[in-house]
Amino acid sequence: MNLGSVTLANPVMTASGCGGTGRELADFDALDAVGAFVTRSITLDPRPGSLPPRVVETPSGLVHTIGLQNPGLDQFLTRELPWLAARRTRTFVSVAGSTLGEYADLGRRLGRSPGVTGIEVNLSEPGDLGLFDTREPFQAARVVQAVRRDLPPGLPVIAKLAPDPTRIVETARAIAEAGADAVVLGNAAPALMPDGRPAGLSGPAIRPLALRCVHDVHAELPDLPLIGTGGITTADDARAFLAAGAFAVQIGTALLHDPTTAARIAAELQGEPT
Amino acid sequence: MSSARDPLHVNGEVLVVKKIGAYRHLTIAASGIAERYRPGTFVAVSIGDLTPRTHLARRSFWITGVRPTGSHGPTIELVVEPRGVGSTWLADRRQGDHLELTGPLGRPFALPKEPVSCLLVGEGYAAGALFPLAERLRARSCTVTMLLGAPDEVHLLGALDARRAARAVSVVTGDGSVGRRGDIAGALPEVMDGIEVVYATGSHGALHAVAAAAEQHGAWSQVAVETPQACGTGLCQGCPLPVVGEDGVARVVRACAEGPVIRGDRVRWADLGVS
Ligand SMILES: Cc1cc2nc3c(=O)[nH]c(=O)nc-3n(C[C@H](O)[C@H](O)[C@H](O)COP(=O)(O)OP(=O)(O)OC[C@H]3O[C@@H](n4cnc5c(N)ncnc54)[C@H](O)[C@@H]3O)c2cc1C
Ligand SMILES: Cc1cc2nc3c(=O)[nH]c(=O)nc-3n(C[C@H](O)[C@H](O)[C@H](O)COP(=O)(O)O)c2cc1C
Ligand code: FES
């Protein structure tokens, strides 16, 4: 399983924000078995996150507003990355920023940190989090360029888009031209908390939406490597994404329900031709 | 490799369901969890049908007792108050039903190294988490006093067990149906004399009162905080707990992973559960 110059042991990754710091999955012997671990989105400065309630259940899904709580790049580099590096975990660091300069800084500093397998660019958080607005495809492309700018050439950049089929092909094309090695389709779908705060919807409820995005982009851009994510809870769900044109998958919400899900799906898919 | 203290994700079997007042008491065969248990830890339970999975959030419950050996192997006990969808589903389980459980989760109560004088304060179903703690404290030659509270008799848990577990027991109920009429905050001043460590479970109001009383009397407090949790395993950051760190800096930690048991003087009570 190749991604740029990187080889992954299998096509199953954890999804950003659903795998903790990695240690929590390791407690269940469920980290080493995945092809790659993706961190929660890291910003340059620490973020305290949203007020509670942060996660509510909805039929076959979760509506959530975590507000990108994270310790900031410095703390991440000193307190979390070294543990992952020592364990030789294939680690993609998810990044989010409010300016192109921040994205470039994140890319430069992560690019020279031992233990970083690649960067995942979170292009899908809505503008209300104060992040750089990437809803226009050319803006999304500028972010990918910024992250790429000072990154060692061998290090893969994957870019993650919200599962909105409307302009998905256009955006995927723009970020691929800007230097993304693969595109993650999708993210949480835009939703609303019961109390009216903007939020994301994840879980099996959005699976058909994410599948549609993978299908549409693969039909137009068959050579672009795609990573499918959205509501995968079983090996059969993962196979559906692979059949639609993805070469790998990410598991999010299902990990919150059963921390061993990704490891189990990886084991089930192992040995099958992809 | 995970260690003998790490939590497990297991398929458990319901062995016994008993009604206790407003609660259901479940005994569950859960190999691995019972052996790893330390007082103050909890399990996350999957609810509803699992094929396909439609309820994606998990539900957290205190482990209120364990038997590492028995004719059905290791068992754990839970006390469930049926309220919303998930707790009602769990309370309706029958003997022989299977459950997906993860545990034991969270930071346990810190046990004293010296034989000290302890007060255990429990409110409602959460008092259940205190009985295995009392046992371990007595094994360390600590003196155990208990204060139990509830709105009324059907929500009062363990008043009889407490007489065996503790040297002295006080009971308060909101309607005065058992013990004295009143609440935990009101009853605390009378039971704090000579207490060196207070352990508490219950509502945020009760825990806050315990933390304040402990500080006033120069005692340590260890409180077990319940906040809404989506995973219980530290993966989602859905359970923010506002604290002041050892370094004096205010931060937000995960109640399920850095808690649920935490020193009472570390919690920023005014910021807790604000939305
Ligand atoms: C560490 C811990 C230990 C607990 N121990 C017990 C126990 O021993 N006995 C018992 O009866 N209850 C206990 N609770 C509370 C119990 O988890 C909630 O009552 C239950 O999750 C509510 O789920 P529901 O589906 O019935 O309600 P709903 O309101 O339908 O819940 C929907 C969602 O909100 C979350 N949620 C809502 N209220 C709470 C709450 N107060 N705490 C946690 N999550 C919440 C649920 O996880 C679920 O995701 C404990 C909670 C925690 C955090
Ligand atoms: C609690 C939670 C937190 C998340 N945090 C992030 C995040 O920090 N960055 C990000 O790019 N995606 C985040 N996501 C989105 C997931 O990574 C995933 O793309 C999405 O939930 C769809 O997959 P799923 O249905 O398997 O969860 C989060 C999702 C959840 C449920
Ligand atoms: S409930 Fe998910 S991190 Fe605590």
Side-chain angles (χ1 to χ4, degrees):
Chain A
M1 175 96 351
N2 290 316
L3 185 51
S5 60
V6 169
T7 307
L8 305 183
N10 67 66
V12 181
M13 309 168 76
T14 63
S16 178
C18 300
T21 61
R23 294 177 209 232
E24 299 80 6
L25 291 176
D27 283 350
F28 294 93
D29 278 339
L31 183 63
D32 298 340
V34 297
F37 172 75
V38 182
T39 70
R40 62 195 178 305
S41 292
I42 302 294
T43 50
L44 216 45
D45 297 322
R47 288 176 65 109
S50 313
L51 291 172
R54 288 183 172 183
V55 184
V56 300
E57 195 176 75
T58 191
S60 296
L62 295 177
V63 184
H64 50 93
T65 167
I66 306 296
L68 295 181
Q69 180 180 344
N70 80 94
L73 182 63
D74 288 339
Q75 291 281 320
F76 171 76
L77 290 177
T78 54
R79 300 175 81 137
E80 295 183 23
L81 185 60
W83 184 87
L84 292 161
R87 215 181 157 90
R88 300 180 184 284
T89 304
R90 289 270 179 229
T91 302
F92 283 80
V93 181
S94 170
V95 297
S98 46
T99 63
L100 292 172
E102 277 183 28
Y103 276 108
D105 280 355
L106 284 159
R108 190 182 62 252
R109 293 185 53 198
L110 284 165
R112 47 176 203 232
S113 302
V116 176
T117 305
I119 309 286
E120 179 175 284
V121 189
N122 179 355
L123 292 176
S124 27
E125 290 296 338
D128 50 79
L129 287 172
L131 298 184
F132 188 77
D133 191 338
T134 55
R135 279 171 293 190
E136 284 300 324
F138 84 96
Q139 298 287 34
R142 290 174 73 198
V143 170
V144 172
Q145 274 161 358
V147 172
R148 258 266 160 258
R149 198 166 65 207
D150 298 320
L151 208 61
L155 219 60
V157 172
I158 61 182
K160 182 176 176 185
L161 302 178
D164 173 6
T166 325
R167 298 181 75 182
I168 200 85
V169 174
E170 195 186 343
T171 311
R173 183 181 284 121
I175 57 181
E177 282 166 3
D181 297 281
V183 176
V184 185
L185 302 166
N187 198 318
L192 207 65
M193 292 291 276
D195 61 18
R197 288 177 295 163
L201 172 63
S202 297
I206 64 166
R207 192 164 61 228
L209 199 59
L211 263 175
R212 172 68 185 269
C213 291
V214 170
H215 168 272
D216 285 5
V217 174
H218 185 65
E220 292 295 322
L221 307 165
D223 297 330
L224 180 59
L226 304 179
I227 301 169
T229 174
I232 298 172
T233 69
T234 65
D236 274 347
D237 296 340
R239 288 184 193 105
F241 276 90
L242 300 176
F247 82 98
V249 293
Q250 294 185 350
I251 317 292
T253 301
L255 286 175
L256 311 186
H257 198 263
D258 169 356
T260 65
T261 312
R264 260 191 307 104
I265 293 178
E268 275 191 63
L269 295 183
Q270 210 99 59
E272 290 180 15
T274 50
Chain B
M1 280 299 282
S2 63
S3 83
R5 283 209 157 159
D6 287 336
L8 296 176
H9 186 83
V10 305
N11 191 310
E13 183 186 344
V14 178
L15 297 178
V16 187
V17 184
K18 281 188 298 193
K19 193 168 183 296
I20 302 181
Y23 308 127
R24 289 294 190 292
H25 181 276
L26 278 71
T27 304
I28 301 165
S31 191
I33 298 183
E35 298 90 313
R36 288 166 165 79
Y37 169 75
R38 288 184 286 167
T41 55
F42 64 96
V43 285
V45 181
S46 304
I47 65 136
D49 282 343
L50 299 182
T51 46
R53 293 168 195 266
T54 52
H55 289 281
L56 278 307
R58 302 196 88 203
R59 309 299 197 269
S60 301
F61 295 89
W62 300 115
I63 301 173
T64 59
V66 293
R67 275 203 197 90
T69 55
S71 48
H72 289 278
T75 60
I76 61 167
E77 287 153 48
L78 311 180
V79 176
V80 180
E81 177 175 21
R83 277 166 296 178
V85 181
S87 51
T88 304
W89 182 88
L90 187 57
D92 286 344
R93 290 311 89 201
R94 296 278 168 271
Q95 186 184 348
D97 285 350
H98 285 262
L99 289 176
E100 260 188 39
L101 306 164
T102 313
L105 294 168
R107 287 222 182 139
F109 288 115
L111 298 177
K113 292 196 178 65
E114 309 288 321
V116 293
S117 182
C118 306
L119 171 66
L120 277 52
V121 181
E123 191 183 34
Y125 60 74
L130 297 176
F131 292 96
L133 171 68
E135 209 174 285
R136 298 204 185 183
L137 289 171
R138 277 183 305 154
R140 292 173 180 241
S141 309
C142 293
T143 325
V144 175
T145 312
M146 284 187 125
L147 167 60
L148 300 177
D152 51 30
E153 184 171 10
V154 291
H155 291 94
L156 182 70
L157 187 73
L160 287 178
D161 296 337
R163 314 243 172 249
R164 277 195 299 275
R167 195 162 67 173
V169 184
S170 315
V171 173
V172 285
T173 49
D175 63 359
S177 52
V178 192
R180 300 239 310 262
R181 182 192 296 272
D183 63 9
I184 286 189
L188 272 171
E190 290 168 30
V191 289
M192 283 301 301
D193 264 357
I195 296 298
E196 295 164 276
V197 184
V198 193
Y199 295 95
T201 60
S203 66
H204 294 172
L207 301 183
H208 188 181
V210 163
E215 232 171 321
Q216 240 170 38
H217 287 79
W220 292 100
S221 66
Q222 292 261 311
V223 299
V225 188
E226 292 181 25
T227 59
Q229 298 186 345
C231 72
T233 46
L235 295 173
C236 76
Q237 301 193 106
C239 55
L241 179 64
V243 300
V244 180
E246 306 264 340
D247 50 9
V249 177
R251 53 173 74 88
V252 177
V253 299
R254 297 165 298 180
C256 70
E258 280 79 35
V261 177
I262 186 163
R263 265 172 52 180
D265 58 343
R266 292 259 175 255
V267 179
R268 290 188 278 131
W269 297 100
D271 297 330
L272 186 61
V274 180
S275 58

